[in-house]
mmCIF file of all heavy atoms in Angstrom:
data_model
loop_
_atom_site.group_PDB
_atom_site.id
_atom_site.type_symbol
_atom_site.label_atom_id
_atom_site.label_comp_id
_atom_site.label_asym_id
_atom_site.label_seq_id
_atom_site.Cartn_x
_atom_site.Cartn_y
_atom_site.Cartn_z
ATOM 1 N N HIS A 26 72.624 35.313 21.957
ATOM 2 C CA HIS A 26 71.218 35.618 21.514
ATOM 3 C C HIS A 26 70.229 35.698 22.584
ATOM 4 O O HIS A 26 69.170 36.280 22.431
ATOM 5 C CB HIS A 26 70.774 34.520 20.521
ATOM 6 C CG HIS A 26 70.326 33.224 21.072
ATOM 7 N ND1 HIS A 26 71.130 32.317 21.793
ATOM 8 C CD2 HIS A 26 69.049 32.811 21.427
ATOM 9 C CE1 HIS A 26 70.382 31.263 22.242
ATOM 10 N NE2 HIS A 26 69.251 31.574 22.130
ATOM 11 N N TYR A 27 70.715 35.367 23.827
ATOM 12 C CA TYR A 27 69.767 35.456 25.020
ATOM 13 C C TYR A 27 69.476 36.920 25.344
ATOM 14 O O TYR A 27 68.501 37.226 25.957
ATOM 15 C CB TYR A 27 70.364 34.727 26.196
ATOM 16 C CG TYR A 27 70.400 33.110 25.990
ATOM 17 C CD1 TYR A 27 71.613 32.570 25.693
ATOM 18 C CD2 TYR A 27 69.268 32.413 26.011
ATOM 19 C CE1 TYR A 27 71.679 31.167 25.451
ATOM 20 C CE2 TYR A 27 69.360 30.870 25.813
ATOM 21 C CZ TYR A 27 70.589 30.400 25.584
ATOM 22 O OH TYR A 27 70.660 29.008 25.294
ATOM 23 N N TYR A 28 70.485 37.646 24.978
ATOM 24 C CA TYR A 28 70.276 39.100 25.342
ATOM 25 C C TYR A 28 69.151 39.730 24.668
ATOM 26 O O TYR A 28 68.545 40.758 25.187
ATOM 27 C CB TYR A 28 71.516 39.887 24.968
ATOM 28 C CG TYR A 28 71.704 41.165 25.460
ATOM 29 C CD1 TYR A 28 72.190 41.520 26.865
ATOM 30 C CD2 TYR A 28 71.333 42.403 24.682
ATOM 31 C CE1 TYR A 28 72.272 42.852 27.266
ATOM 32 C CE2 TYR A 28 71.496 43.671 25.168
ATOM 33 C CZ TYR A 28 71.969 43.866 26.555
ATOM 34 O OH TYR A 28 72.109 45.210 26.929
ATOM 35 N N ASP A 29 68.817 39.347 23.331
ATOM 36 C CA ASP A 29 67.763 39.890 22.555
ATOM 37 C C ASP A 29 66.551 39.076 22.438
ATOM 38 O O ASP A 29 65.781 39.175 21.633
ATOM 39 C CB ASP A 29 68.288 40.246 21.206
ATOM 40 C CG ASP A 29 69.374 41.285 21.220
ATOM 41 O OD1 ASP A 29 69.151 42.402 21.906
ATOM 42 O OD2 ASP A 29 70.486 41.116 20.775
ATOM 43 N N LEU A 30 66.589 37.897 23.225
ATOM 44 C CA LEU A 30 65.557 36.827 23.094
ATOM 45 C C LEU A 30 64.095 37.313 23.321
ATOM 46 O O LEU A 30 63.157 36.920 22.749
ATOM 47 C CB LEU A 30 65.870 35.644 23.991
ATOM 48 C CG LEU A 30 65.122 34.435 23.763
ATOM 49 C CD1 LEU A 30 65.328 33.839 22.328
ATOM 50 C CD2 LEU A 30 65.552 33.255 24.867
ATOM 51 N N TYR A 31 64.064 38.319 24.329
ATOM 52 C CA TYR A 31 62.716 38.730 24.600
ATOM 53 C C TYR A 31 62.677 40.243 24.333
ATOM 54 O O TYR A 31 63.525 41.067 24.624
ATOM 55 C CB TYR A 31 62.396 38.548 26.163
ATOM 56 C CG TYR A 31 62.239 36.994 26.433
ATOM 57 C CD1 TYR A 31 63.375 36.383 26.842
ATOM 58 C CD2 TYR A 31 61.081 36.439 26.190
ATOM 59 C CE1 TYR A 31 63.364 34.959 27.114
ATOM 60 C CE2 TYR A 31 60.933 35.033 26.549
ATOM 61 C CZ TYR A 31 62.045 34.320 26.981
ATOM 62 O OH TYR A 31 61.917 33.052 27.274
ATOM 63 N N ASP A 32 61.514 40.787 23.650
ATOM 64 C CA ASP A 32 61.316 42.119 23.387
ATOM 65 C C ASP A 32 60.822 42.902 24.585
ATOM 66 O O ASP A 32 59.697 42.551 24.939
ATOM 67 C CB ASP A 32 60.389 42.288 22.217
ATOM 68 C CG ASP A 32 60.282 43.747 21.587
ATOM 69 O OD1 ASP A 32 60.654 44.687 22.347
ATOM 70 O OD2 ASP A 32 59.795 43.954 20.529
ATOM 71 N N PRO A 33 61.335 43.887 25.052
ATOM 72 C CA PRO A 33 60.879 44.597 26.167
ATOM 73 C C PRO A 33 59.501 45.060 25.945
ATOM 74 O O PRO A 33 58.684 45.289 26.886
ATOM 75 C CB PRO A 33 61.872 45.798 26.410
ATOM 76 C CG PRO A 33 63.075 45.246 25.783
ATOM 77 C CD PRO A 33 62.733 44.407 24.734
ATOM 78 N N ASP A 34 59.123 45.433 24.807
ATOM 79 C CA ASP A 34 57.758 45.988 24.348
ATOM 80 C C ASP A 34 56.678 44.963 24.591
ATOM 81 O O ASP A 34 55.555 45.277 24.769
ATOM 82 C CB ASP A 34 57.753 46.345 22.919
ATOM 83 C CG ASP A 34 58.529 47.709 22.555
ATOM 84 O OD1 ASP A 34 58.763 48.372 23.572
ATOM 85 O OD2 ASP A 34 58.855 47.886 21.397
ATOM 86 N N ASP A 35 57.089 43.653 24.760
ATOM 87 C CA ASP A 35 56.155 42.586 24.998
ATOM 88 C C ASP A 35 55.943 42.276 26.454
ATOM 89 O O ASP A 35 55.235 41.404 26.857
ATOM 90 C CB ASP A 35 56.671 41.313 24.245
ATOM 91 C CG ASP A 35 56.656 41.521 22.756
ATOM 92 O OD1 ASP A 35 55.805 42.286 22.188
ATOM 93 O OD2 ASP A 35 57.442 40.634 22.057
ATOM 94 N N ILE A 36 56.787 42.933 27.310
ATOM 95 C CA ILE A 36 56.683 42.694 28.751
ATOM 96 C C ILE A 36 55.810 43.479 29.389
ATOM 97 O O ILE A 36 55.887 44.740 29.429
ATOM 98 C CB ILE A 36 58.168 42.950 29.397
ATOM 99 C CG1 ILE A 36 59.250 42.117 28.598
ATOM 100 C CG2 ILE A 36 58.174 42.569 30.823
ATOM 101 C CD1 ILE A 36 59.159 40.585 28.747
ATOM 102 N N PRO A 37 54.778 42.940 30.111
ATOM 103 C CA PRO A 37 53.846 43.713 30.903
ATOM 104 C C PRO A 37 54.416 44.034 32.266
ATOM 105 O O PRO A 37 55.188 43.245 32.824
ATOM 106 C CB PRO A 37 52.661 42.750 31.112
ATOM 107 C CG PRO A 37 53.145 41.473 31.019
ATOM 108 C CD PRO A 37 54.312 41.603 30.045
ATOM 109 N N LEU A 38 54.085 45.157 32.739
ATOM 110 C CA LEU A 38 54.624 45.549 34.143
ATOM 111 C C LEU A 38 53.744 45.025 35.084
ATOM 112 O O LEU A 38 52.449 44.776 34.856
ATOM 113 C CB LEU A 38 54.498 47.171 34.197
ATOM 114 C CG LEU A 38 55.565 47.888 33.248
ATOM 115 C CD1 LEU A 38 55.272 49.480 33.394
ATOM 116 C CD2 LEU A 38 57.010 47.547 33.681
ATOM 117 N N PRO A 39 54.260 44.856 36.333
ATOM 118 C CA PRO A 39 53.412 44.305 37.441
ATOM 119 C C PRO A 39 52.337 45.209 37.727
ATOM 120 O O PRO A 39 52.354 46.472 37.656
ATOM 121 C CB PRO A 39 54.435 44.230 38.647
ATOM 122 C CG PRO A 39 55.734 44.162 37.927
ATOM 123 C CD PRO A 39 55.605 45.157 36.736
ATOM 124 N N GLU A 40 51.246 44.633 38.379
ATOM 125 C CA GLU A 40 50.018 45.400 38.685
ATOM 126 C C GLU A 40 50.246 46.582 39.656
ATOM 127 O O GLU A 40 49.673 47.637 39.762
ATOM 128 C CB GLU A 40 48.908 44.484 39.253
ATOM 129 C CG GLU A 40 48.410 43.514 38.308
ATOM 130 C CD GLU A 40 47.348 44.232 37.261
ATOM 131 O OE1 GLU A 40 46.924 45.325 37.544
ATOM 132 O OE2 GLU A 40 47.326 43.734 36.049
ATOM 133 N N SER A 41 51.301 46.305 40.541
ATOM 134 C CA SER A 41 51.683 47.259 41.520
ATOM 135 C C SER A 41 52.649 48.302 41.061
ATOM 136 O O SER A 41 53.107 49.210 41.888
ATOM 137 C CB SER A 41 52.202 46.652 42.779
ATOM 138 O OG SER A 41 53.418 45.984 42.530
ATOM 139 N N PHE A 42 53.183 48.302 39.763
ATOM 140 C CA PHE A 42 54.136 49.178 39.324
ATOM 141 C C PHE A 42 53.958 50.657 39.709
ATOM 142 O O PHE A 42 54.894 51.383 40.122
ATOM 143 C CB PHE A 42 54.432 48.978 37.836
ATOM 144 C CG PHE A 42 55.544 49.864 37.423
ATOM 145 C CD1 PHE A 42 56.927 49.332 37.534
ATOM 146 C CD2 PHE A 42 55.365 51.010 36.767
ATOM 147 C CE1 PHE A 42 57.946 50.052 37.137
ATOM 148 C CE2 PHE A 42 56.467 51.798 36.184
ATOM 149 C CZ PHE A 42 57.758 51.341 36.525
ATOM 150 N N ASP A 43 52.706 51.170 39.520
ATOM 151 C CA ASP A 43 52.446 52.480 39.643
ATOM 152 C C ASP A 43 52.053 52.896 41.066
ATOM 153 O O ASP A 43 51.421 53.965 41.271
ATOM 154 C CB ASP A 43 51.253 52.828 38.622
ATOM 155 C CG ASP A 43 51.604 52.839 37.252
ATOM 156 O OD1 ASP A 43 52.884 53.220 36.893
ATOM 157 O OD2 ASP A 43 50.780 52.551 36.314
ATOM 158 N N HIS A 44 52.390 51.988 42.076
ATOM 159 C CA HIS A 44 52.147 52.362 43.415
ATOM 160 C C HIS A 44 53.507 52.181 44.062
ATOM 161 O O HIS A 44 53.862 51.264 44.863
ATOM 162 C CB HIS A 44 51.205 51.218 44.074
ATOM 163 C CG HIS A 44 49.807 51.364 43.493
ATOM 164 N ND1 HIS A 44 49.471 50.914 42.256
ATOM 165 C CD2 HIS A 44 48.689 51.948 43.933
ATOM 166 C CE1 HIS A 44 48.131 51.046 42.013
ATOM 167 N NE2 HIS A 44 47.667 51.732 43.168
ATOM 168 N N PRO A 45 54.477 53.111 43.788
ATOM 169 C CA PRO A 45 55.908 52.996 44.219
ATOM 170 C C PRO A 45 55.989 53.123 45.763
ATOM 171 O O PRO A 45 55.307 53.783 46.394
ATOM 172 C CB PRO A 45 56.557 54.201 43.480
ATOM 173 C CG PRO A 45 55.490 55.158 43.373
ATOM 174 C CD PRO A 45 54.248 54.456 42.989
ATOM 175 N N THR A 46 56.990 52.312 46.174
ATOM 176 C CA THR A 46 57.345 52.334 47.491
ATOM 177 C C THR A 46 57.656 53.691 48.071
ATOM 178 O O THR A 46 57.401 54.121 49.154
ATOM 179 C CB THR A 46 58.540 51.348 47.940
ATOM 180 O OG1 THR A 46 58.050 49.985 47.512
ATOM 181 C CG2 THR A 46 58.710 51.334 49.335
ATOM 182 N N ALA A 47 58.303 54.475 47.234
ATOM 183 C CA ALA A 47 58.779 55.806 47.513
ATOM 184 C C ALA A 47 57.723 56.733 47.956
ATOM 185 O O ALA A 47 57.994 57.811 48.577
ATOM 186 C CB ALA A 47 59.729 56.354 46.483
ATOM 187 N N ALA A 48 56.474 56.400 47.430
ATOM 188 C CA ALA A 48 55.366 57.344 47.620
ATOM 189 C C ALA A 48 54.680 57.058 49.005
ATOM 190 O O ALA A 48 53.699 57.805 49.381
ATOM 191 C CB ALA A 48 54.482 57.380 46.546
ATOM 192 N N ARG A 49 54.991 56.060 49.631
ATOM 193 C CA ARG A 49 54.259 55.597 50.825
ATOM 194 C C ARG A 49 54.599 56.362 52.005
ATOM 195 O O ARG A 49 55.837 56.705 52.211
ATOM 196 C CB ARG A 49 54.499 54.099 51.100
ATOM 197 C CG ARG A 49 53.924 53.134 50.094
ATOM 198 C CD ARG A 49 54.132 51.696 50.227
ATOM 199 N NE ARG A 49 53.749 51.259 51.695
ATOM 200 C CZ ARG A 49 53.818 49.972 52.123
ATOM 201 N NH1 ARG A 49 54.294 49.014 51.328
ATOM 202 N NH2 ARG A 49 53.313 49.687 53.222
ATOM 203 N N THR A 50 53.700 56.709 52.870
ATOM 204 C CA THR A 50 53.885 57.378 54.075
ATOM 205 C C THR A 50 53.695 56.571 55.338
ATOM 206 O O THR A 50 53.767 57.003 56.357
ATOM 207 C CB THR A 50 52.956 58.573 54.080
ATOM 208 O OG1 THR A 50 51.581 58.164 54.183
ATOM 209 C CG2 THR A 50 53.273 59.522 53.075
ATOM 210 N N ASP A 51 53.480 55.200 55.116
ATOM 211 C CA ASP A 51 53.160 54.165 56.134
ATOM 212 C C ASP A 51 54.271 53.411 56.418
ATOM 213 O O ASP A 51 54.079 52.242 57.026
ATOM 214 C CB ASP A 51 51.988 53.608 55.943
ATOM 215 C CG ASP A 51 52.057 52.627 54.673
ATOM 216 O OD1 ASP A 51 52.920 52.880 53.885
ATOM 217 O OD2 ASP A 51 51.216 51.761 54.499
ATOM 218 N N LEU A 52 55.500 53.919 56.217
ATOM 219 C CA LEU A 52 56.801 53.020 56.426
ATOM 220 C C LEU A 52 57.670 53.720 57.343
ATOM 221 O O LEU A 52 57.796 54.964 57.283
ATOM 222 C CB LEU A 52 57.444 52.599 55.156
ATOM 223 C CG LEU A 52 56.656 51.763 54.225
ATOM 224 C CD1 LEU A 52 57.523 51.619 52.900
ATOM 225 C CD2 LEU A 52 56.370 50.504 54.761
ATOM 226 N N PRO A 53 58.456 53.142 58.184
ATOM 227 C CA PRO A 53 59.532 53.779 59.056
ATOM 228 C C PRO A 53 60.574 54.464 58.177
ATOM 229 O O PRO A 53 60.767 54.011 57.213
ATOM 230 C CB PRO A 53 60.023 52.699 59.933
ATOM 231 C CG PRO A 53 59.690 51.423 59.210
ATOM 232 C CD PRO A 53 58.421 51.630 58.515
ATOM 233 N N ALA A 54 61.088 55.372 58.841
ATOM 234 C CA ALA A 54 62.267 56.123 58.017
ATOM 235 C C ALA A 54 63.322 55.285 57.489
ATOM 236 O O ALA A 54 63.847 55.553 56.538
ATOM 237 C CB ALA A 54 62.759 57.264 58.988
ATOM 238 N N HIS A 55 63.771 54.302 58.457
ATOM 239 C CA HIS A 55 64.890 53.528 58.018
ATOM 240 C C HIS A 55 64.545 52.687 56.771
ATOM 241 O O HIS A 55 65.454 52.350 55.962
ATOM 242 C CB HIS A 55 65.357 52.559 59.129
ATOM 243 C CG HIS A 55 64.531 51.442 59.506
ATOM 244 N ND1 HIS A 55 63.609 51.385 60.524
ATOM 245 C CD2 HIS A 55 64.321 50.086 58.876
ATOM 246 C CE1 HIS A 55 63.032 50.274 60.674
ATOM 247 N NE2 HIS A 55 63.356 49.525 59.654
ATOM 248 N N MET A 56 63.317 52.209 56.593
ATOM 249 C CA MET A 56 62.847 51.475 55.398
ATOM 250 C C MET A 56 62.923 52.366 54.254
ATOM 251 O O MET A 56 63.355 51.916 53.175
ATOM 252 C CB MET A 56 61.494 50.862 55.678
ATOM 253 C CG MET A 56 61.114 49.851 54.647
ATOM 254 S SD MET A 56 62.233 48.439 54.448
ATOM 255 C CE MET A 56 61.987 47.681 56.019
ATOM 256 N N GLN A 57 62.508 53.687 54.282
ATOM 257 C CA GLN A 57 62.524 54.474 53.239
ATOM 258 C C GLN A 57 63.931 54.831 52.783
ATOM 259 O O GLN A 57 64.270 54.973 51.590
ATOM 260 C CB GLN A 57 61.815 55.950 53.534
ATOM 261 C CG GLN A 57 60.291 55.704 53.706
ATOM 262 C CD GLN A 57 59.641 55.622 52.376
ATOM 263 O OE1 GLN A 57 60.288 55.447 51.319
ATOM 264 N NE2 GLN A 57 58.367 55.646 52.338
ATOM 265 N N ARG A 58 64.942 54.890 53.852
ATOM 266 C CA ARG A 58 66.293 55.070 53.631
ATOM 267 C C ARG A 58 66.909 54.071 52.761
ATOM 268 O O ARG A 58 67.802 54.340 51.917
ATOM 269 C CB ARG A 58 67.011 55.233 54.930
ATOM 270 C CG ARG A 58 68.500 55.495 54.797
ATOM 271 C CD ARG A 58 68.834 56.807 54.177
ATOM 272 N NE ARG A 58 70.281 57.002 53.946
ATOM 273 C CZ ARG A 58 70.841 57.659 52.943
ATOM 274 N NH1 ARG A 58 70.051 57.993 51.940
ATOM 275 N NH2 ARG A 58 72.161 57.719 52.879
ATOM 276 N N VAL A 59 66.504 52.841 52.829
ATOM 277 C CA VAL A 59 66.927 51.753 51.984
ATOM 278 C C VAL A 59 66.830 52.001 50.536
ATOM 279 O O VAL A 59 67.735 51.898 49.770
ATOM 280 C CB VAL A 59 66.329 50.386 52.467
ATOM 281 C CG1 VAL A 59 66.660 49.250 51.433
ATOM 282 C CG2 VAL A 59 66.621 49.971 53.718
ATOM 283 N N TYR A 60 65.608 52.508 50.192
ATOM 284 C CA TYR A 60 65.357 52.785 48.717
ATOM 285 C C TYR A 60 66.075 54.182 48.292
ATOM 286 O O TYR A 60 66.371 54.245 47.187
ATOM 287 C CB TYR A 60 63.777 52.893 48.604
ATOM 288 C CG TYR A 60 63.223 51.658 48.973
ATOM 289 C CD1 TYR A 60 62.704 51.339 50.135
ATOM 290 C CD2 TYR A 60 63.065 50.550 47.803
ATOM 291 C CE1 TYR A 60 62.067 50.145 50.363
ATOM 292 C CE2 TYR A 60 62.529 49.363 48.204
ATOM 293 C CZ TYR A 60 62.052 49.141 49.427
ATOM 294 O OH TYR A 60 61.438 47.904 49.694
ATOM 295 N N GLN A 61 66.310 55.120 49.235
ATOM 296 C CA GLN A 61 67.096 56.336 48.985
ATOM 297 C C GLN A 61 68.494 55.940 48.574
ATOM 298 O O GLN A 61 69.148 56.410 47.671
ATOM 299 C CB GLN A 61 66.975 57.269 50.112
ATOM 300 C CG GLN A 61 65.668 57.815 50.349
ATOM 301 C CD GLN A 61 65.517 58.605 51.759
ATOM 302 O OE1 GLN A 61 66.640 58.839 52.304
ATOM 303 N NE2 GLN A 61 64.482 59.020 52.016
ATOM 304 N N ILE A 62 69.145 54.957 49.377
ATOM 305 C CA ILE A 62 70.488 54.426 49.049
ATOM 306 C C ILE A 62 70.536 53.717 47.712
ATOM 307 O O ILE A 62 71.414 54.062 46.922
ATOM 308 C CB ILE A 62 70.816 53.542 50.156
ATOM 309 C CG1 ILE A 62 71.031 54.189 51.480
ATOM 310 C CG2 ILE A 62 72.283 52.881 49.730
ATOM 311 C CD1 ILE A 62 71.140 53.311 52.748
ATOM 312 N N GLY A 63 69.385 53.074 47.427
ATOM 313 C CA GLY A 63 69.395 52.432 46.106
ATOM 314 C C GLY A 63 69.418 53.420 44.929
ATOM 315 O O GLY A 63 69.936 53.310 43.825
ATOM 316 N N ALA A 64 68.648 54.539 45.163
ATOM 317 C CA ALA A 64 68.552 55.644 44.094
ATOM 318 C C ALA A 64 69.924 56.262 43.872
ATOM 319 O O ALA A 64 70.344 56.786 42.878
ATOM 320 C CB ALA A 64 67.585 56.674 44.513
ATOM 321 N N GLU A 65 70.588 56.364 45.036
ATOM 322 C CA GLU A 65 71.976 56.962 45.066
ATOM 323 C C GLU A 65 73.108 55.937 44.385
ATOM 324 O O GLU A 65 74.061 56.459 43.762
ATOM 325 C CB GLU A 65 72.553 57.369 46.412
ATOM 326 C CG GLU A 65 71.686 58.405 47.084
ATOM 327 C CD GLU A 65 71.909 58.491 48.537
ATOM 328 O OE1 GLU A 65 72.743 57.720 49.166
ATOM 329 O OE2 GLU A 65 71.113 59.226 49.351
ATOM 330 N N LYS A 66 72.695 54.663 44.559
ATOM 331 C CA LYS A 66 73.869 53.680 44.019
ATOM 332 C C LYS A 66 73.084 52.572 43.229
ATOM 333 O O LYS A 66 73.075 51.433 43.684
ATOM 334 C CB LYS A 66 74.513 53.153 45.227
ATOM 335 C CG LYS A 66 75.216 54.061 46.070
ATOM 336 C CD LYS A 66 75.933 53.327 47.245
ATOM 337 C CE LYS A 66 76.698 54.300 48.168
ATOM 338 N NZ LYS A 66 77.316 53.651 49.322
ATOM 339 N N PRO A 67 72.524 52.828 42.097
ATOM 340 C CA PRO A 67 71.655 51.863 41.301
ATOM 341 C C PRO A 67 72.545 50.858 40.709
ATOM 342 O O PRO A 67 71.949 49.744 40.305
ATOM 343 C CB PRO A 67 71.027 52.774 40.239
ATOM 344 C CG PRO A 67 71.906 54.041 40.118
ATOM 345 C CD PRO A 67 72.349 54.227 41.420
ATOM 346 N N ASP A 68 73.782 51.007 40.649
ATOM 347 C CA ASP A 68 74.659 49.900 40.113
ATOM 348 C C ASP A 68 75.341 49.057 41.223
ATOM 349 O O ASP A 68 76.117 48.176 40.926
ATOM 350 C CB ASP A 68 75.773 50.462 39.198
ATOM 351 C CG ASP A 68 75.372 50.419 37.672
ATOM 352 O OD1 ASP A 68 74.788 49.417 37.221
ATOM 353 O OD2 ASP A 68 75.588 51.537 36.961
ATOM 354 N N ALA A 69 74.622 49.276 42.463
ATOM 355 C CA ALA A 69 75.229 48.332 43.616
ATOM 356 C C ALA A 69 74.287 47.288 43.786
ATOM 357 O O ALA A 69 73.952 46.564 42.863
ATOM 358 C CB ALA A 69 75.418 49.344 44.714
ATOM 359 N N PHE A 70 73.813 47.062 44.954
ATOM 360 C CA PHE A 70 72.892 45.893 45.203
ATOM 361 C C PHE A 70 71.643 46.293 46.057
ATOM 362 O O PHE A 70 71.097 45.345 46.625
ATOM 363 C CB PHE A 70 73.568 44.632 45.733
ATOM 364 C CG PHE A 70 74.649 45.025 46.783
ATOM 365 C CD1 PHE A 70 74.309 45.086 48.145
ATOM 366 C CD2 PHE A 70 75.927 45.197 46.462
ATOM 367 C CE1 PHE A 70 75.147 45.416 49.080
ATOM 368 C CE2 PHE A 70 76.857 45.473 47.394
ATOM 369 C CZ PHE A 70 76.521 45.560 48.642
#
């Protein structure tokens, strides 16, 4: 029952959700690469 205990429709998103890291231009290339790897392997870590 813990799987359905909370309704996703009741969950507010963080204030920063619409300011994605991927859109930033003030980060070094290797930091952006970390998130690119995540996009390529979302079921990893």
Side-chain angles (χ1 to χ4, degrees):
H26 83 282
Y27 294 103
Y28 192 85
D29 299 305
L30 191 60
Y31 294 94
D32 187 342
D34 291 340
D35 295 334
I36 304 297
L38 293 172
E40 292 290 331
S41 64
F42 182 80
D43 292 323
H44 297 76
T46 303
R49 290 178 58 175
T50 59
D51 59 343
L52 296 176
H55 74 260
M56 190 59 67
Q57 290 288 9
R58 179 62 182 144
V59 169
Y60 297 91
Q61 292 168 7
I62 295 170
E65 297 163 3
K66 302 177 180 180
D68 265 315
F70 42 85

